[in-house]
Amino acid sequence: MGCLLSGATLFAQSPSLPLDNNVVTGRLDNGITYMIRHNATPRHQACFYLVNGIGALAEKPGEHGMAHYLEHEMFQGTKHFPGHAMIDMLERHGVLYGYDINAHTSENETVYTLSKVPTQDPKLLDSCLMIMADWTYALELKDDRIEHERGPILRELAMRDNADTRIQIQWANSLLRGSAYESHDVLGTMADIKAITPDGLRKFYASWHNPAMVDVVVVGDFDVKQMESTLRRILGEAPMGDKSQPRPFIAVPERDTLNYCVATDKDKQGESAMIVNLIRDTPEAEKSSADYLVKTIMARMINIMGATRLGQIAHEQGSPLAGASLAVMPLKRGYFTYQIGAGVSQPGNETRAVRMLLLEYERLKQVGFTQAEFDKAKAQMLRDNAQNAFVSKTNDEIAKMLEQHYLEGEPIVDYNAFTPYERAVLDTLTLASVNALMRSWSTDKNMSVILTSPDGLSYPAKQDILDIFDQVKKINYKGFAFELKPEAPLPEFSVSPKPGRIKKELIDKSNNTTTWKLANGATVIYKQVPEDRSRVCLRAVRPGGESMFSLQELPSAQVTTTFVEAGGVEQLSSQQLNRVQQAKGFKVDSHIYGYSERMEGTSLPSSVEQMMQLTYLRFMQPVVDTALINGSMQQNRVYAHFPMRPQQRLQDAVAQLRSGNNPRMLSQHGDYFDHIDAKSIENAWNRCFGSANGYTFIITGAQPASELKPMVEKYIASINGGGKPTRWVDNKMYGYQGVTERTVQTGAMGPYAMVVLGVSAPLPYSPVNELTNRIVARVFQQRAMDVMREKDGDVYTINVNEESNAIPRGSFEVSAEFQADTLRASELRDKVYGIWEQMVKGGITQEELTKALAYFQKSYLEDGDKADKWADKMANEVVDGCTLLNYDNYAETAQLVTTASVNAFLRQMDAAKNVVKLIFR
């Protein structure tokens, strides 16, 4: 609902407004406003947002960067939570800093968020409200904590210093010239950040953190009346706000002449051209209206029609455009853009690209979209509307809507009511009304032409652009109507094989599963997940995968599913199949993974039978398009000998070194494609998908098993069951062995380096060991961040990942990745490894274990309500041949984990001495 629209009313009659009457709102005596709503997606969780209507544009000269700096200080100590007490308290309940605890600053607002807060403990909810209160008026802002954050902020600035950001700043400043937005970077410059003083920051906080400009949003699974009562008591303790202080609105000066900007950068890849109209927004007080809601729907339709038209034009032979689109997009508070843009197909086509975009801009202005375009877009929106009816909005999605109501006046929509409302509006919309709205945006005022490109190319002069614009305005477009390429009717999609036979049915009420043993050698397990009514998931899985193929056969196996799916199925081409899947809300894709072959499907509850039909067709009627495959292989063999791009060199180097230089870790370069042809792909497909024998079909959803049983008999039991089941093969792909220390020049990192550190060990798989490995990774991340970011300011962030494997042998890995200054990469790599060694030597603490377990308990509880999580977990257990860590066994597994057991696991990990220390420049 974020489109920002303006103009006269274009739609006089509409159904009742779908506004949400379940949101409780109020204002305290001190000026703080609040919005509270119950929502149970996910269950037993809530989110808290503090929305401050002041951002970076409140900064005066000498204060640039302070709003963002203050955002960092919100987590560095408050009156009731001094120092790190806030973070420590939240993390003991599984609410993690940087994940569930976050913030963002823009020119016009600063928003602080606590997400995925467990609701079972009322004292925790009270504490979250106390944090909201403290943030409005009671920051500590101690000198040492202010000085401490300077380093991470400077690192954040350095990470953002890239070609895309520099280009965007250039054209945005041109578009917003003459306003306070121009040259006012939210983060500030390096010099700005270095010049900020503790006294200056405290003064800025006192001036602008006004309770009367704050809104508190709380959404989640709780008693609303109790939450409101507690909120009023706790937030009421904040001091009186200055209700007379207006929230500043930043205007952009109007322009009568065309603005032309060429934004260049030495590191920019490719060129683009844009025509942009800057449009004044509907007043915020008028947005909760039928006029505004209808126009948001119309704007989405214009986006769809524009993307279709520009996409067709860009694909015409000889077009100078690449990836063209039309978009209506929010820009800044009070403004949105109507823009047409495209990539430039190749250097030298800049003038032709601008001419073609201006031609289309003017044609749309004069004659608008066609009835055929309108009908096609409307049909797509009605399909999307039907599919959205099954989707439940999460706490954070609703909270963001409420946030935007406070900041921008966006309407508070009841999503359940909006679906029929949108359908009713679409049924009565006319092409004339949509074209009238679009024409209201197509004015010569506040219009810009923007080119982006690498340094050193030649570009048309502004007078050239003006001359082109004058020429295209004189064309009579009534005789130059756009012709949408006709699209064939949606193909019929049906298959009716003779039903197969179910040999045996087993019902396990304790696990909510029904198992059917089929005569073709397959097994079907249906698990009912009553909480997830939005989808039905299917995973057909059998052990085997890439591991079954020889080194020479392996390239064929790795590309097989891509090329066979490109051929479609016997009834439908891949393009027709994609249209049907999109229209009906289902999909089924094939995959050959390392140790398994799989069909993976998802559908709306209304499209389960179509998903089953496509599963049958994928197995029984695939099309191996020999001409397509062999033609593609000829091209790929040529491209594979071109010099590798820096980013590809980086990816290949990381994969190869982490695999221990295993010969089966292949790069799609050199002779990779030499032994691939249609026959080798067909052989690989038949080996993996030629029979259902040995497959286990996992299905998860909310329906009763009785509804699925006839479809299982008809579409799964009827699949061919010949041959023998496949098995995975142990090819000794165990990853790096011993200590590997390398520095690799890839050319992909510019002035920075990427550091990768990994520790692995072969240990027996068990749910306890998997949970322990996750705890180790969680604690390692926290310690590394505490030292490298919080204490020393060496980096902006460190990402720590973990991997637990049951096959081909039990193994566990913890790895860290971060970006560093090139000159300090070796030093910082060793520093992080030193943190690991200290953790091994001293062990983890009970507090660290408590925090990690609280986080995982919350995550697994949430996963237990999701059909896709159950489908993936059950499929993985089929391949691994053992019980994995999951929602059902998490509680009992967690009881077996102690600090002693975790520290013993740590020592085992370290004793293996499998360590990789990599620097990529």
Side-chain angles (χ1 to χ4, degrees):
M1 301 303 299
C3 295
L4 309 174
L5 308 176
S6 62
T9 301
L10 297 170
F11 192 83
Q13 297 180 342
S14 64
S16 300
L17 293 179
L19 301 183
D20 193 342
N21 297 318
N22 294 313
V23 178
V24 174
T25 64
R27 184 164 193 162
L28 305 180
D29 291 341
N30 55 18
I32 294 174
T33 59
Y34 60 85
M35 291 181 272
I36 305 172
R37 194 194 193 284
H38 178 266
N39 187 59
T41 305
R43 292 184 300 153
H44 310 304
Q45 290 186 20
C47 63
F48 297 76
Y49 284 33
L50 183 82
V51 185
N52 191 329
I54 293 297
L57 289 184
E59 299 162 349
K60 300 173 184 176
E63 295 180 337
H64 287 192
M66 283 193 179
H68 176 253
Y69 207 126
L70 198 58
E71 173 201 314
H72 281 242
E73 289 302 314
M74 289 287 185
F75 308 104
Q76 299 299 318
T78 69
K79 175 182 176 180
H80 294 96
F81 302 94
H84 278 187
M86 176 200 306
I87 305 300
D88 288 342
M89 181 275 297
L90 290 169
E91 290 193 336
R92 282 195 297 274
H93 291 87
V95 184
L96 296 190
Y97 184 45
Y99 294 86
D100 310 318
I101 308 168
N102 226 315
H104 75 265
T105 303
S106 73
E107 293 94 344
N108 293 296
E109 74 266 359
T110 314
V111 181
Y112 308 93
T113 62
L114 306 177
S115 297
K116 299 189 175 182
V117 177
T119 56
Q120 294 93 328
D121 183 355
K123 292 181 180 178
L124 174 61
L125 304 184
D126 292 358
S127 295
C128 289
L129 291 173
M130 184 62 73
I131 291 170
M132 300 285 117
D134 275 7
W135 277 343
T136 64
Y137 77 100
L139 294 191
E140 285 188 316
L141 292 178
K142 291 186 175 181
D143 286 11
D144 62 332
R145 299 314 300 169
I146 292 172
E147 290 300 332
H148 167 269
E149 280 302 298
R150 202 181 306 273
I153 293 172
L154 291 171
R155 293 286 179 277
E156 186 177 356
L157 271 170
M159 287 180 65
R160 199 192 59 157
D161 185 19
N162 56 58
D164 288 341
T165 301
R166 294 190 293 267
I167 287 280
Q168 183 178 356
I169 289 172
Q170 290 178 58
W171 68 255
N173 283 340
S174 174
L175 194 65
L176 301 165
R177 186 174 297 127
S179 74
Y181 291 107
E182 184 185 1
S183 301
H184 194 129
D185 194 303
V186 171
L187 269 64
T189 65
M190 293 281 190
D192 291 332
I193 302 307
K194 291 176 181 177
I196 290 173
T197 65
D199 283 343
L201 195 62
R202 285 189 283 265
K203 182 179 178 182
F204 181 80
Y205 178 60
S207 298
W208 286 110
H209 269 253
N210 176 1
M213 288 193 183
V214 165
D215 186 69
V216 174
V217 175
V218 190
V219 180
D221 194 5
F222 48 70
D223 182 275
V224 171
K225 288 185 178 180
Q226 180 62 44
M227 179 61 72
E228 183 182 27
S229 174
T230 307
L231 182 150
R232 293 187 68 88
R233 173 174 55 83
I234 294 176
L235 271 295
E237 296 178 3
M240 188 65 65
D242 182 359
K243 299 175 187 178
S244 66
Q245 186 183 40
R247 185 182 175 209
F249 178 80
I250 309 303
V252 180
E254 290 202 349
R255 234 186 334 244
D256 292 325
T257 59
L258 180 75
N259 175 54
Y260 180 48
C261 170
V262 179
T264 68
D265 190 271
K266 61 182 178 62
D267 297 323
K268 179 77 171 72
Q269 299 292 314
E271 299 178 87
S272 71
M274 290 186 289
I275 299 167
V276 182
N277 279 108
L278 183 66
I279 314 293
R280 186 69 173 86
D281 181 11
T282 296
E284 292 171 7
E286 299 175 16
K287 288 186 175 180
S288 293
S289 65
D291 183 50
Y292 182 76
L293 278 173
V294 169
K295 285 184 285 188
T296 64
I297 294 169
M298 296 165 77
R300 287 205 303 279
M301 177 174 279
I302 289 168
N303 281 345
I304 292 169
M305 291 190 293
T308 301
R309 177 180 288 204
L310 271 294
Q312 180 176 313
I313 291 170
H315 280 91
E316 290 175 354
Q317 189 170 4
S319 173
L321 307 180
S325 66
L326 179 153
V328 182
M329 300 173 61
L331 182 67
K332 303 294 182 185
R333 182 186 175 207
Y335 294 92
F336 69 98
T337 60
Y338 165 65
Q339 61 190 58
I340 297 176
V344 179
S345 59
Q346 59 186 21
N349 275 343
E350 298 82 7
T351 302
R352 288 184 62 218
V354 172
R355 182 188 300 277
M356 184 163 283
L357 291 176
L358 285 170
L359 274 167
E360 207 49 54
Y361 175 90
E362 194 64 24
R363 176 161 62 174
L364 283 168
K365 180 179 179 180
Q366 291 191 28
V367 299
F369 290 104
T370 66
Q371 189 66 45
E373 292 173 295
F374 176 85
D375 292 342
K376 182 177 180 180
K378 178 180 175 179
Q380 179 178 329
M381 292 182 72
L382 286 170
R383 290 195 301 268
D384 294 343
N385 176 280
Q387 294 176 16
N388 289 337
F390 296 98
V391 178
S392 297
K393 295 297 181 181
T394 66
N395 295 336
D396 281 293
E397 287 173 328
I398 294 174
K400 289 182 190 303
M401 175 186 67
L402 299 180
E403 168 198 312
Q404 287 304 302
H405 175 72
Y406 178 75
L407 293 172
E408 304 274 1
E410 294 296 325
I412 301 175
V413 171
D414 180 340
Y415 287 107
N416 291 326
F418 182 76
T419 299
Y421 177 86
E422 182 184 51
R423 202 159 50 239
V425 170
L426 288 170
D427 284 343
T428 50
L429 271 185
T430 65
L431 174 63
S433 64
V434 174
N435 279 335
L437 178 61
M438 180 196 58
R439 288 192 189 100
S440 73
W441 304 330
S442 305
T443 69
D444 292 352
K445 277 192 171 186
N446 303 320
M447 182 178 178
S448 297
V449 173
I450 298 167
L451 288 174
T452 71
S453 104
D455 287 342
L457 300 182
S458 59
Y459 327 101
K462 182 175 182 178
Q463 189 58 50
D464 297 330
I465 302 296
L466 291 170
D467 291 344
I468 293 170
F469 200 18
D470 285 341
Q471 293 165 15
V472 300
K473 285 180 179 180
K474 296 174 183 177
I475 297 173
N476 179 5
Y477 291 93
K478 291 183 179 179
F480 181 40
F482 175 78
E483 292 187 14
L484 181 67
K485 287 184 178 178
E487 191 171 51
L490 197 66
E492 290 294 324
F493 180 78
S494 65
V495 60
S496 187
K498 181 181 178 181
R501 183 167 61 90
I502 294 176
K503 292 169 53 179
K504 189 175 184 181
E505 179 178 85
L506 303 170
I507 298 174
D508 183 347
K509 292 184 178 179
S510 63
N511 288 311
N512 230 8
T513 62
T514 301
T515 300
W516 295 293
K517 297 285 187 179
L518 309 184
N520 61 3
T523 299
V524 178
I525 304 174
Y526 175 62
K527 180 172 181 64
Q528 191 172 24
V529 186
E531 299 81 7
D532 193 344
R533 298 183 176 277
S534 65
R535 59 197 155 184
V536 175
C537 300
L538 180 146
R539 306 288 187 266
V541 60
R542 186 171 67 177
E546 293 179 6
S547 71
M548 304 184 298
F549 294 86
S550 69
L551 192 57
Q552 184 169 326
E553 296 169 327
L554 187 55
S556 296
Q558 290 178 338
V559 303
T560 285
T561 57
T562 298
F563 283 102
V564 174
E565 289 194 3
V569 295
E570 197 166 293
Q571 293 185 5
L572 303 171
S573 69
S574 62
Q575 292 80 9
Q576 291 173 316
L577 196 53
N578 289 337
R579 287 184 59 207
V580 173
Q581 290 182 92
Q582 185 177 14
K584 301 295 185 180
F586 73 97
K587 67 174 184 176
V588 179
D589 300 320
S590 57
H591 302 275
I592 301 176
Y593 293 121
Y595 295 97
S596 65
E597 50 258 24
R598 305 191 187 202
M599 294 281 183
E600 297 180 345
T602 303
S603 80
L604 297 172
S606 58
S607 302
V608 177
E609 185 160 13
Q610 287 92 338
M611 177 178 69
M612 296 284 206
Q613 289 173 334
L614 181 53
T615 302
Y616 172 86
L617 291 171
R618 291 279 193 217
F619 274 98
M620 297 295 290
Q621 297 179 14
V623 174
V624 179
D625 188 329
T626 301
L628 170 69
I629 293 171
N630 290 340
S632 296
M633 287 308 118
Q634 287 181 350
Q635 290 183 327
N636 287 333
R637 286 170 195 139
V638 173
Y639 294 148
H641 290 278
F642 285 1
M644 263 198 277
R645 298 189 308 275
Q647 198 62 37
Q648 187 62 53
R649 275 202 303 273
L650 173 63
Q651 293 171 2
D652 284 358
V654 171
Q656 191 60 235
L657 289 168
R658 294 191 66 175
S659 76
N661 293 306
N662 192 292
R664 293 180 67 86
M665 183 57 66
L666 303 178
S667 168
Q668 290 189 350
H669 201 68
D671 62 359
Y672 179 88
F673 295 98
D674 288 2
H675 300 290
I676 304 176
D677 57 24
K679 187 62 178 176
S680 68
I681 285 176
E682 184 175 17
N683 289 340
W685 178 270
N686 289 335
R687 191 168 173 184
C688 291
F689 303 107
S691 167
N693 190 12
Y695 267 92
T696 301
F697 291 77
I698 309 292
I699 307 173
T700 58
Q703 293 93 326
S706 58
E707 290 185 11
L708 292 169
K709 185 175 181 179
M711 288 184 263
V712 167
E713 290 176 306
K714 188 171 185 179
Y715 301 114
I716 297 179
S718 58
I719 297 172
N720 171 52
K724 295 181 179 179
T726 58
R727 295 286 183 267
W728 59 263
V729 176
D730 185 356
N731 294 302
K732 312 298 182 186
M733 290 193 71
Y734 300 152
Y736 50 89
Q737 307 291 307
V739 178
T740 302
E741 188 170 327
R742 297 279 178 82
T743 296
V744 182
Q745 300 291 339
T746 67
M749 296 302 298
Y752 305 104
M754 185 175 81
V755 179
V756 177
L757 175 70
V759 179
S760 69
L763 295 169
Y765 177 84
S766 67
V768 170
N769 276 353
E770 180 176 349
L771 179 56
T772 302
N773 196 50
R774 293 188 174 196
I775 291 166
V776 167
R778 178 69 234 138
V779 175
F780 183 37
Q781 165 119 31
Q782 189 61 62
R783 290 199 184 185
M785 287 288 285
D786 285 347
V787 174
M788 303 293 289
R789 185 190 188 282
E790 300 300 321
K791 179 174 178 290
D792 297 336
D794 294 318
V795 298
Y796 178 65
T797 190
I798 294 179
N799 295 315
V800 174
N801 300 300
E802 59 78 31
E803 189 171 317
S804 301
N805 296 304
I807 58 174
R809 65 175 183 178
S811 65
F812 301 87
E813 183 193 36
V814 173
S815 61
E817 295 182 6
F818 60 93
Q819 183 174 298
D821 294 336
T822 299
L823 296 178
R824 297 190 65 201
S826 297
E827 169 202 345
L828 297 181
R829 176 201 62 197
D830 293 343
K831 189 173 181 178
V832 173
Y833 187 61
I835 295 168
W836 169 267
E837 291 182 309
Q838 183 58 42
M839 190 167 74
V840 172
K841 181 179 179 181
I844 73 164
T845 66
Q846 182 60 50
E847 182 177 13
E848 289 172 324
L849 176 60
T850 299
K851 288 180 179 179
L853 287 174
Y855 173 73
F856 292 124
Q857 178 181 358
K858 180 185 70 174
S859 299
Y860 280 101
L861 181 65
E862 185 177 344
D863 288 349
D865 290 348
K866 297 177 180 177
D868 61 329
K869 296 292 185 181
W870 276 112
D872 290 335
K873 169 259 174 187
M874 294 169 71
N876 289 339
E877 288 187 340
V878 169
V879 177
D880 291 356
C882 62
T883 299
L884 304 177
L885 183 64
N886 61 73
Y887 166 65
D888 268 355
N889 62 24
Y890 175 80
E892 62 186 77
T893 302
Q895 291 178 353
L896 300 174
V897 179
T898 65
T899 54
S901 69
V902 174
N903 292 333
F905 182 89
L906 260 173
R907 290 190 292 272
Q908 287 180 291
M909 287 277 287
D910 189 66
K913 298 303 178 188
N914 294 331
V915 181
V916 63
K917 301 178 181 180
L918 309 175
I919 296 173
F920 300 94
R921 291 192 168 100

